[in-house]
Amino acid sequence: MATDSPAARSRRERPAKPALTRAGIVDAALTILRDEGLSKVTMRRIAAALDTGPASLYVYVRNTEDLHAQILDALLGPVVEPATGPGGWRDRTRAVLVAYRDLLFGYPELARMALSTQPSGPHYLTLVDTLLGLLVEGGASDRAAAWGVDVLLLQATAIAAEHAGRHTSDEADPDLVRVIAHADPQRYPQVARLAGELTSGDGTSRSAWTVDVLLDGILARPE
Amino acid sequence: MATDSPAARSRRERPAKPALTRAGIVDAALTILRDEGLSKVTMRRIAAALDTGPASLYVYVRNTEDLHAQILDALLGPVVEPATGPGGWRDRTRAVLVAYRDLLFGYPELARMALSTQPSGPHYLTLVDTLLGLLVEGGASDRAAAWGVDVLLLQATAIAAEHAGRHTSDEADPDLVRVIAHADPQRYPQVARLAGELTSGDGTSRSAWTVDVLLDGILARPE
DNA sequence: ACCTGAACACCGTTCAAGT
DNA sequence: ACCTGAACACCGTTCAAGT
């Protein structure tokens, strides 16, 4: 029996073929991101998932950078939720930054992208607005709050970006640990002496240490 | 006259054909980096410059990541020079960090790379050793010096990485400035109120501000 | 051991031609 | 206006075959 039209067959095999819209494209991209990582979120791969050719996407998306920016902002929604939770401004600030960092840890390749493409979507603006409010509540000057939010977000993004290619563990890079452990005490006296401290601590305690360094420094700035 | 062997002709046309060694490959890569940017530093492009095929490079270089790490360390040599200059520890620390940041500003794509591939070459170790010495001289605890060096270098690297794709100017991203200027005061009250501060300052003054925030924070950490 | 041609399995983007 | 096939100009890496 050859009564099936190609369209009917396609409908049965892909019952939920997403619409070819900007939102549909971002949705398809998010699915591929979750399943296969950012390196597979390519124009050609998305087009294949949407059952079309790569050229079709350019009606809705300017280029790959534009697409990646859309993806990040779509994921950024829940990050500000801890800001309305319990605790003082400092605890809530820490919680928002941890949520942001944890999101990027889940998609470390997005963190690298966020460094090269300045985010400016609605969810990102909400995140900036929330952190500004928290720093001002904590007593920061307007300038310290404005510049400080930048530094705090950059630090969190960079830490996540660092873990993009590497090990999934929370420990220090084993390659670096080896190099530090074998550093020549003549050439690198401080590295040799402080080898233990240099590789001490897990990601969580170092992150917490860094956030406290930054918050104290920001609040201490004179107007 | 067809007395020229291909080898003789090639010798005349490319009198300084670099040797096919690890160092020769890195040299060729550095030339392409300076002239055409990191995106053109590809296995195929380097192979062409060395008058061979891409497969030949794999005798000396494990993969692209390995090659990029070699390139960065080769550039890192002069960065520590300000450490032996005049001034107190804080001035010299600032000068080393500025030299490191300026190098990466010149090759911002290398900064992005340094985030995904932890550097561990001899010049990088010298840089770490130097900064450790300076922080200890400034009175930091062993732990604060060790963890602090990491944060200082990460911050400088991230700032440089941010400027990779974007504008070459020292000002804020014009796209972001526009978005902030038009932010809805109902949805984003803090962003609207602090729009001026958010986009104030050039890269240099923000960097200096950030380094001071970090140095003060690092020195203030309890043991 | 070192070097290479050719192939494999991909990319982003453009554009003329269709609907 | 939207969509597409086909092409252009590339990638990294592998591998069998040569020297």
Side-chain angles (χ1 to χ4, degrees):
Chain A
M1 278 183 289
T3 53
D4 268 14
S5 75
R9 214 177 49 235
S10 157
R11 228 178 292 123
R12 216 180 319 107
E13 278 163 14
R14 303 171 201 268
K17 177 180 167 173
L20 200 53
T21 62
R22 198 164 217 266
I25 290 167
V26 173
D27 267 4
L30 285 169
T31 303
I32 297 168
L33 175 67
R34 271 172 235 271
D35 296 348
E36 305 174 47
L38 189 68
S39 70
K40 293 291 169 57
V41 183
T42 66
M43 293 295 194
R44 296 179 107 97
R45 183 72 189 70
I46 295 166
L50 295 172
D51 230 359
T52 182
S56 306
L57 306 181
Y58 285 79
V59 178
Y60 303 99
V61 158
R62 195 199 310 273
N63 51 31
T64 306
E65 193 181 315
D66 175 28
L67 176 70
H68 285 176
Q70 292 291 316
I71 293 171
L72 177 60
D73 204 71
L75 292 168
L76 234 40
V79 159
V80 294
E81 279 165 19
T84 50
W89 75 271
R90 200 178 184 110
D91 285 340
R92 283 178 283 133
T93 305
R94 281 205 201 94
V96 169
L97 288 170
V98 165
Y100 176 71
R101 192 208 58 195
D102 281 355
L103 170 71
L104 293 182
F105 257 81
Y107 307 97
E109 293 150 312
L110 276 182
R112 266 205 276 178
M113 183 216 78
L115 283 170
S116 35
T117 308
Q118 170 73 259
S120 61
H123 287 134
Y124 186 78
L125 274 192
T126 300
L127 174 59
V128 170
D129 200 73
T130 302
L131 287 170
L132 284 172
L134 286 165
L135 289 183
V136 169
E137 186 184 338
S141 71
D142 283 355
R143 158 144 312 176
W147 292 19
V149 165
D150 223 49
V151 176
L152 286 166
L153 289 174
L154 181 62
Q155 188 73 31
T157 309
I159 286 173
E162 269 204 306
H163 290 247
R166 304 215 271 281
H167 52 96
T168 48
S169 107
D170 205 27
E171 303 291 318
D173 184 345
D175 257 22
L176 189 68
V177 171
R178 192 178 36 74
V179 169
I180 287 173
H182 292 85
D184 175 7
Q186 301 293 317
R187 272 185 84 181
Y188 311 111
Q190 299 295 339
V191 171
R193 189 177 71 82
L194 298 172
E197 291 290 5
L198 281 166
T199 54
S200 71
D202 56 20
T204 307
S205 44
R206 281 189 174 234
S207 273
W209 186 88
T210 303
V211 169
D212 281 332
V213 162
L214 286 169
L215 289 180
D216 288 348
I218 289 166
L219 290 183
R221 278 306 94 184
E223 293 262 346
Chain B
M1 277 185 290
T3 52
D4 268 16
S5 75
R9 214 176 50 234
S10 155
R11 228 178 292 125
R12 216 181 318 106
E13 279 163 15
R14 304 173 201 265
K17 177 180 168 174
L20 200 54
T21 61
R22 197 163 217 266
I25 289 167
V26 173
D27 268 3
L30 284 169
T31 303
I32 297 168
L33 175 67
R34 273 173 233 270
D35 297 348
E36 305 173 49
L38 190 69
S39 70
K40 293 290 169 59
V41 183
T42 65
M43 294 296 194
R44 296 179 106 96
R45 183 71 191 70
I46 295 165
L50 295 173
D51 229 359
T52 184
S56 305
L57 306 181
Y58 284 80
V59 178
Y60 303 98
V61 159
R62 196 199 309 271
N63 51 31
T64 306
E65 192 181 316
D66 176 27
L67 176 70
H68 285 175
Q70 292 290 316
I71 293 172
L72 177 60
D73 204 71
L75 292 169
L76 234 40
V79 160
V80 294
E81 280 165 18
T84 51
W89 74 272
R90 200 177 184 112
D91 286 339
R92 283 178 284 134
T93 305
R94 281 206 201 95
V96 170
L97 288 169
V98 166
Y100 176 70
R101 191 208 59 195
D102 281 354
L103 171 71
L104 292 183
F105 257 81
Y107 306 97
E109 292 151 312
L110 275 182
R112 265 205 276 177
M113 183 215 77
L115 283 171
S116 35
T117 308
Q118 171 72 260
S120 61
H123 287 134
Y124 187 79
L125 274 192
T126 300
L127 174 59
V128 170
D129 199 74
T130 302
L131 286 171
L132 284 172
L134 286 165
L135 290 183
V136 168
E137 187 185 337
S141 72
D142 284 355
R143 159 147 310 177
W147 290 19
V149 164
D150 222 50
V151 176
L152 286 166
L153 289 175
L154 181 62
Q155 188 72 31
T157 309
I159 285 173
E162 269 204 308
H163 290 247
R166 303 215 271 282
H167 53 95
T168 49
S169 107
D170 205 26
E171 303 292 317
D173 185 344
D175 257 22
L176 189 67
V177 171
R178 191 179 37 74
V179 169
I180 287 173
H182 294 84
D184 175 6
Q186 301 294 318
R187 270 185 85 180
Y188 311 110
Q190 299 295 341
V191 170
R193 188 177 72 81
L194 297 173
E197 290 291 4
L198 282 166
T199 54
S200 71
D202 56 19
T204 308
S205 44
R206 281 189 174 233
S207 274
W209 186 87
T210 304
V211 169
D212 281 332
V213 163
L214 286 169
L215 289 179
D216 288 349
I218 289 166
L219 290 182
R221 279 303 96 184
E223 293 264 347

